[in-house]
Amino acid sequence: MAHSNGGATNAAGSDGEAAPVPRPLTPPRKVALITGITGQDGSYLTELLLSKGYEVHGLIRRSSNFNTQRLDHIYHDPHAVPSSPRPPMRLHYADLSDSSSLRRALDAISPDEVYNLAAQSHVAVSFEIPDYTADVTATGALRLLEAVRLARRPIRYYQAGSSEMFGSTPPPQSEDTPFHPRSPYAAAKVAAHWYTVNYREAYGLFACNGVLFNHESPRRGENFVTRKITRAVGRIKVGLQTKVFLGNLSAARDWGFAGDYVEAMWLMLQQDQPGDYVVATEESHTVEEFLQAAFGYAGLNWKDHVVIDKKYFRPAEVDSLKGDSTKARRELKWKPKVGFQQLVEMMVDHDIELAKKEKVLVDAGYRREDTLAWHFDSKGLFSVKSMYHVLEDKSERDQKKQIGGSSKQMEGETGSEWKKLWRLKYQPKIKQFLWRLAKNSLPWRLSIQRRGMQIDTRCPVCWRLDEDGGHCFLKCKRVKQCWRAMGLEQVREKLLRASNAREMICMILNLPSDAQGKTVGLLWAWWEARNKANVGEDMKRTENIVHRAVPIMADPPTTNENKETIAPDRHRHWVKPPPDKLKINCDGAFAKESKQGAWGFVIRDHEGNGVLAGAGKLQEVPNAMCAEGYACLAALEAAMNAGMAHIILETDSLCLVSALKTGSYDYSIGGE
Ligand SMILES: C[C@H]1O[C@H](OP(=O)(O)OP(=O)(O)OC[C@H]2O[C@@H](n3cnc4c(=O)[nH]c(N)nc43)[C@H](O)[C@@H]2O)[C@@H](O)[C@@H](O)C1=O
């Protein structure tokens, strides 16, 4: 198909007289980016694009659990086959509520086509979390459009619209039918629709809206009515359940097969001109008719099993949807392949098979109520200690992957170097400095530039060469004078052989104590002097730096063994941890109305000095306990990453404390 604007085809300019331009034998494969790739439509679209030779990239949100089940059959962990060529499908972290993450993703992936399928897509849920729905579904689309507009190359954009936008406007609904949304979800989709039209008209973007009517499949989420029904049919058929609770049975929908609908999305982006298209089967059925078809196909009578529950009625309902997809059929040459009855049968067949597998487990003795279980403990009980070990294990494995497997261990690395570091008897700020040095996270000028800031990258001391860690501490003309003045030239030469900062710190930790003290003193004193020079002050003379290094290396152990560490009133005063331990205080907050929350933690040493802190926001939190739990998890993860082994965890959530200590959890807290 031809591309008038922003297509992936390369313009190979030729005026008839120019020498022929050598071309690759096979055209480069097109690159697509999909938001919402882990959903039903994302997985079908990924399969379709891969079958057409595309390289497919998906954006996923950072969250504490993975929900990539629908992609498991396609996705190959790049670590598992490190030598294979560029895998055709890859996942990246980004979030529709964060513009900068979208910009970075587009820069890194440089796609030809972007499919925006991500949304908070449950209509009933949107009444409970309206502003989150608006942020992701409407403003998220706007953020992505803006990123597409600012991208370095033309990109074709698809916006997933919804028949819900028609709301109370009577059927049949076509591209010319006015919108009358009946839920926060539908209103957000209308906004995203018009943002897309506006970016097309204002900036000439190749941007299309697909107004898709309900589309289902065996991959449909289990809280949408069709899948809820077919799951119930399967479980009732094999004897795992007897009743299913539903809301309004008279609502009518135009239900098609998701696998057919993703083809329409793709076709829209292959046209000469961008446009908006209704995608529908043009056949409408009520929820009751769906029930009849599904239960009837399984030889059951739905009336024996369905119970009406008011809780599933919505504050405002969309009564009747039936699409008119004439335009898509004419211009895209698209039509659905799977009809209503075939769709119902496909879903019921799938869910009966699924229920049979469940039954096997139940018959084998797994018949018990769902409980929270800690997978890493044989009894399923959670403990902070086991969590620490799990995280430590993971971090070890990740590091091995990064350095190419266990055979390439770094010099001196035994996995215990962090413990060694935190046990050193220097002041906490110096230990923290060493840790940041090992993690390459000190703000050398080259590092700042790599994070996107335009600055002069030359060393602020010698002004000759670019400043990175190696230059700053080992190679700068002036720092070499300090090493020599302290009689540490041999140590410097040894450190120069380290292949990275972490290896250098390992070497320092393994030095004899006298040389180690001098080295640490010098590094710290040099860093202090360099920081002053960096903000325009005069650079200190060598003898001043050496003079400053001496008290650091001679700093006595900062133990507090004789001081009282337990305050009389434990509930009112923060109690310092003992000298060989660090204390984590964490807390979570939760707003019931918005289901939003926040977490934070601070880690302090035995003198009360803050060593590490963190905080963040949470979306869609079901209850306060979850926010507390998240705070605890974030703090432990941070402590583990920093190699802090001896820690005390303190939280004000009695419920969490009791869950951690006993492994049981009071379910009534979340009201669920
Ligand atoms: C095109 C559009 O399609 C979907 O939105 P939806 O039409 O709301 O889909 P649904 O399966 O949640 O509801 C269909 C009808 O079924 C009624 N209904 C009765 N009893 C239950 C019930 O128990 N659960 C549910 N979920 N619905 C029930 C409910 O009141 C409604 O009238 C989303 O993909 C959306 O993202 C989208 O864009």
Side-chain angles (χ1 to χ4, degrees):
M1 298 253 178
H3 294 252
S4 67
N5 164 23
T9 47
N10 291 329
S14 113
D15 58 11
E17 293 190 13
V21 178
R23 287 161 184 256
L25 288 177
T26 49
R29 60 183 175 181
K30 278 200 199 176
V31 177
L33 172 64
I34 304 175
T35 71
I37 194 168
T38 54
Q40 166 189 261
D41 293 5
S43 68
Y44 282 113
L45 181 61
T46 301
E47 283 171 0
L48 177 82
L49 296 178
L50 290 176
S51 75
K52 293 186 181 298
Y54 275 69
E55 180 175 301
V56 178
H57 296 257
L59 299 189
I60 55 171
R61 276 178 302 155
R62 279 194 189 275
S63 88
S64 43
N65 55 359
F66 293 103
N67 64 339
T68 50
Q69 308 87 303
R70 292 187 182 95
L71 298 169
D72 283 350
H73 62 293
I74 316 170
Y75 181 68
H76 298 288
D77 182 352
H79 295 114
V81 270
S83 58
S84 69
R86 279 163 76 84
M89 187 205 137
R90 265 167 286 164
L91 298 176
H92 310 259
Y93 285 117
D95 204 309
L96 277 184
S97 58
D98 185 281
S99 309
S100 65
S101 71
L102 298 174
R103 295 275 297 278
R104 281 196 302 276
L106 286 187
D107 267 3
I109 298 162
S110 195
D112 301 294
E113 294 169 8
V114 168
Y115 295 84
N116 183 25
L117 312 187
Q120 188 304 98
S121 67
H122 201 284
V123 175
V125 170
S126 76
F127 287 99
E128 287 167 29
I129 46 169
D131 49 354
Y132 173 72
T133 304
D135 187 41
V136 174
T137 311
T139 315
L142 180 63
R143 292 184 187 106
L144 188 55
L145 277 162
E146 188 61 7
V148 164
R149 177 175 86 83
L150 297 172
R152 281 178 298 214
R153 58 182 302 196
I155 296 173
R156 294 187 168 207
Y157 177 85
Y158 170 83
Q159 171 61 34
S162 162
S163 53
E164 283 293 305
M165 299 188 294
F166 297 121
S168 56
T169 314
Q173 292 102 352
S174 72
E175 292 81 5
D176 301 323
T177 306
F179 296 142
H180 188 142
R182 299 268 288 162
S183 62
Y185 166 77
K189 280 287 180 190
V190 171
H193 178 97
W194 286 114
Y195 288 144
T196 307
V197 172
N198 178 246
Y199 270 60
R200 183 168 71 215
E201 293 174 356
Y203 304 113
L205 227 66
F206 193 106
C208 302
N209 283 295
V211 183
L212 269 55
F213 280 61
N214 295 51
H215 44 287
E216 319 294 308
S217 76
R219 297 184 200 168
R220 186 59 145 151
E222 293 184 19
N223 50 2
F224 294 95
V225 79
T226 53
R227 189 76 201 291
K228 187 171 171 181
I229 293 171
T230 59
R231 277 292 274 147
V233 169
R235 299 185 94 243
I236 291 169
K237 188 76 186 160
V238 302
L240 287 175
Q241 165 179 343
T242 55
K243 300 285 177 210
V244 55
F245 296 86
L246 294 173
N248 177 13
L249 304 190
S250 59
R253 292 288 184 273
D254 179 334
W255 277 299
F257 171 53
D260 288 345
Y261 284 36
V262 297
E263 200 191 354
M265 300 176 187
W266 174 75
L267 283 168
M268 286 176 216
L269 297 199
Q270 314 312 311
Q271 301 306 301
D272 290 343
Q273 296 299 329
D276 305 327
Y277 297 87
V278 160
V279 181
T281 67
E282 305 192 340
E283 212 186 291
S284 185
H285 296 272
T286 61
V287 176
E288 186 175 322
E289 284 165 0
F290 193 98
L291 277 169
Q292 262 159 4
F295 277 80
Y297 176 62
L300 299 166
N301 182 350
W302 69 270
K303 290 189 176 152
D304 296 337
H305 303 283
V306 172
V307 180
I308 301 300
D309 185 338
K310 290 273 173 241
K311 144 171 140 189
Y312 294 112
F313 281 77
R314 297 172 181 179
E317 178 63 282
V318 171
D319 294 325
S320 185
L321 293 174
K322 183 178 174 193
D324 169 358
S325 52
T326 310
K327 183 180 174 194
R329 291 171 196 239
R330 188 183 61 238
E331 292 184 9
L332 305 179
K333 310 279 178 284
W334 175 88
K335 65 173 195 253
K337 299 188 185 82
V338 177
F340 178 72
Q341 186 60 29
Q342 207 185 340
L343 172 68
V344 172
E345 291 177 12
M346 174 202 297
M347 293 176 71
V348 171
D349 283 340
H350 176 274
D351 284 340
I352 289 181
E353 284 312 306
L354 190 61
K356 282 183 187 160
K357 289 181 191 156
E358 258 186 86
K359 178 89 164 57
V360 172
L361 288 176
V362 171
D363 290 345
Y366 288 89
R367 184 175 213 123
R368 58 177 183 182
E369 292 299 307
D370 281 355
T371 52
L372 287 180
W374 178 239
H375 174 67
F376 302 96
D377 176 78
S378 56
K379 292 187 188 139
L381 298 183
F382 179 88
S383 67
V384 173
K385 192 171 171 188
S386 76
M387 159 72 91
Y388 183 85
H389 288 309
V390 169
L391 294 175
E392 194 177 45
D393 242 31
K394 181 177 174 301
S395 147
E396 286 286 306
R397 272 183 277 118
D398 289 352
Q399 276 162 17
K400 278 179 189 163
K401 273 179 205 156
Q402 274 167 21
I403 62 168
S406 54
S407 57
K408 274 179 75 183
Q409 291 263 327
M410 287 179 279
E411 192 197 319
E413 188 203 347
T414 61
S416 62
E417 72 272 26
W418 301 127
K419 289 179 195 158
K420 235 181 188 176
L421 192 154
W422 294 111
R423 277 196 211 122
L424 289 176
K425 303 293 182 192
Y426 306 109
Q427 291 176 30
K429 65 181 181 188
I430 295 179
K431 290 192 269 190
Q432 228 188 320
F433 157 73
L434 292 175
W435 176 72
R436 291 184 68 193
L437 173 52
K439 291 274 177 185
N440 256 325
S441 75
L442 290 173
W444 297 296
R445 286 177 164 229
L446 263 184
S447 324
I448 292 176
Q449 190 208 40
R450 282 192 196 115
R451 283 177 172 78
M453 276 177 68
Q454 292 310 311
I455 59 160
D456 183 346
T457 52
R458 282 174 307 158
C459 166
V461 178
C462 68
W463 295 106
R464 289 168 61 232
L465 296 167
D466 282 343
E467 186 197 38
D468 59 11
H471 174 85
C472 174
F473 289 110
L474 300 172
K475 298 182 196 156
C476 175
K477 205 168 88 181
R478 290 285 315 278
V479 83
K480 285 202 263 184
Q481 291 169 1
C482 296
W483 284 97
R484 273 197 296 273
M486 293 200 56
L488 290 171
E489 184 54 18
Q490 276 185 348
V491 174
R492 188 185 77 88
E493 279 168 11
K494 182 176 159 69
L495 298 183
L496 274 171
R497 291 196 287 275
S499 55
N500 56 45
R502 184 172 165 184
E503 195 176 322
M504 181 176 112
I505 292 295
C506 283
M507 289 175 170
I508 294 173
L509 294 175
N510 289 328
L511 287 172
S513 62
D514 178 48
Q516 185 199 82
K518 284 177 161 183
T519 305
V520 172
L522 170 58
L523 292 175
W524 174 252
W526 173 260
W527 183 241
E528 275 187 337
R530 173 267 177 211
N531 285 343
K532 291 201 167 128
N534 191 44
V535 292
E537 291 183 28
D538 286 343
M539 185 61 190
K540 284 198 177 135
R541 295 152 61 94
T542 302
E543 51 274 28
N544 294 341
I545 295 170
V546 172
H547 183 69
R548 168 81 185 114
V550 174
I552 294 164
M553 65 205 209
D555 212 7
T558 49
T559 55
N560 248 355
E561 254 130 22
N562 299 328
K563 288 191 192 162
E564 187 180 41
T565 53
I566 301 192
D569 183 346
R570 296 174 63 93
H571 298 289
R572 282 213 315 243
H573 301 288
W574 181 78
V575 179
K576 292 174 182 173
D580 59 339
K581 291 201 168 57
L582 295 164
K583 184 183 267 190
I584 299 176
N585 286 88
C586 56
D587 204 356
F590 159 72
K592 199 170 175 199
E593 303 70 37
S594 63
K595 296 251 185 277
Q596 288 193 334
W599 57 270
F601 70 86
V602 57
I603 305 179
R604 282 174 285 196
D605 66 13
H606 63 284
E607 288 186 322
N609 296 317
V611 179
L612 203 59
K617 277 207 246 174
L618 296 168
Q619 305 283 7
E620 285 192 273
V621 198
N623 55 47
M625 165 90 165
C626 266
E628 294 285 354
Y630 200 93
C632 166
L633 187 64
L636 285 169
E637 222 165 338
M640 194 282 304
N641 285 336
M644 300 169 183
H646 300 278
I647 48 178
I648 295 170
L649 181 75
E650 204 166 73
T651 160
D652 60 4
S653 164
L654 285 178
C655 172
L656 182 63
V657 171
S658 121
L660 294 180
K661 282 188 173 161
T662 64
S664 69
Y665 167 46
D666 179 358
Y667 283 88
S668 65
I669 290 161
E672 285 160 19

